[in-house]
Amino acid sequence: MTRFLAPIACLLLVGLGAYPAPAGLIANGNFESVSGDPLKFDGWTYDDATRFTVQSRPGGSVISGNYSAEIVRGNVHNLYQTPSEAVSSFIFNMDFAVFPNTGDRTMNTQLWWAAGGASDIAVQLRVGSDNRLQAYDGGAWRNIGTLAADTTVDTGTPNVWNGEEPVVNHLSIVGHFGATAPYYDVTLNANTVSNLQFFQSTVPAGATVGPIRFQANNGASNWLVDNVSFVPEPSGAAMLGALVLFALAPWRRRHSETK
């Protein structure tokens, strides 16, 4: 039950001013900080800079702000970052945009586990055929319920973002890697599938989240990512406090007005 309430409780606590917004554990998650020639996104590691394009306004295709990252299709290349703190229960969010998928995949996103000096891919998600959101279970890709991405019409150079107005998808993952039976919940555009255990590799007890990777892996077309965040999931005590404060809020307002 607590895993369904966590995101709501966090918002309530922040909104009521009783619990500070948790510090994001990913640097430059909005991709607004760039430097170098050619431009690169600060805070992110590239294993092949030619596979990641800085899209900017005007002239580019941008989800929000001045910049978005375009993941260029091709062989396996990663744009990645390891969270600044090791946590096992977490909330991961990102916005992305894709063209209609007529090939193998697009939007390839990985969350790794780390434990005892070892690491491997835990959660791997993609937009597969018919634009369905899929997870890799170590042997095959599986549809995540009926979740499917909204797509942007490709009006320019095929498979490349060069001026289209992105149709934005919001992806959220609430996960517990350190649990006795690790699981995660996936929300795409306000629709949720819960208690998934479609892991690419076994997540050991006590594991925390390692690198978060956006991958250009033989994709059908380029895709955009923006507004990435990664925070610890609020504790049960914090959630209970949020619900109590939420219940008391009308009373607190009435009481203050009568003084």
Side-chain angles (χ1 to χ4, degrees):
M1 178 66 178
T2 58
R3 65 180 183 272
F4 303 114
L5 296 175
I8 298 173
C10 185
L11 291 174
L12 290 176
L13 284 163
V14 173
L16 292 171
Y19 186 77
L25 304 183
I26 288 291
N28 193 22
N30 60 2
F31 295 98
E32 290 302 294
S33 178
V34 298
S35 61
D37 184 14
L39 288 177
K40 294 177 68 175
F41 295 108
D42 299 327
W44 294 90
T45 299
Y46 297 65
D47 63 7
D48 183 344
T50 66
R51 294 294 176 183
F52 309 98
T53 302
V54 174
Q55 285 285 358
S56 63
R57 301 186 191 272
S61 297
V62 180
I63 290 175
S64 66
N66 292 317
Y67 302 101
S68 293
E70 179 179 2
I71 313 300
V72 180
R73 63 183 181 144
N75 294 323
V76 179
H77 298 288
N78 299 290
L79 178 67
Y80 64 95
Q81 185 176 155
T82 300
S84 58
E85 295 179 20
V87 297
S88 56
S89 294
F90 60 90
I91 303 173
F92 168 82
N93 289 284
M94 61 178 269
D95 291 332
F96 71 91
V98 293
F99 296 128
N101 186 19
T102 58
D104 177 47
R105 75 184 75 180
T106 188
M107 201 292 287
N108 207 69
T109 297
Q110 302 173 349
L111 275 63
W112 287 54
W113 60 260
S119 64
D120 204 343
I121 300 171
V123 178
Q124 181 165 203
L125 304 181
R126 74 176 188 182
V127 173
S129 58
D130 298 322
N131 308 311
R132 298 289 295 275
L133 188 66
Q134 300 176 330
Y136 191 65
D137 68 2
W141 289 95
R142 300 172 63 174
N143 290 337
I144 301 178
T146 59
L147 300 183
D150 296 329
T151 61
T152 301
V153 177
D154 189 355
T155 57
T157 303
N159 306 314
V160 174
W161 294 83
N162 54 0
E164 294 88 351
E165 186 67 28
V167 174
V168 180
N169 297 272
H170 182 71
L171 175 69
S172 180
I173 303 172
V174 178
H176 298 269
F177 282 7
T180 303
Y183 65 89
Y184 60 100
D185 309 325
V186 175
T187 300
L188 179 65
N189 301 332
N191 299 304
T192 302
V193 176
S194 300
N195 201 29
L196 292 174
Q197 293 178 310
F198 299 168
F199 290 103
Q200 180 160 334
S201 63
T202 300
V203 180
T208 59
V209 179
I212 295 170
R213 297 190 173 189
F214 305 116
Q215 192 173 84
N217 188 352
N218 300 319
S221 60
N222 299 357
W223 61 282
L224 301 178
V225 62
D226 208 336
N227 302 324
V228 178
S229 68
F230 180 86
V231 297
E233 185 190 24
S235 67
M239 287 184 289
L240 178 60
L243 295 176
V244 171
L245 287 169
F246 183 66
L248 291 176
W251 177 86
R252 291 172 63 189
R253 286 196 298 269
R254 289 196 300 270
H255 184 68
S256 64
E257 289 168 358
T258 58
K259 287 186 176 180

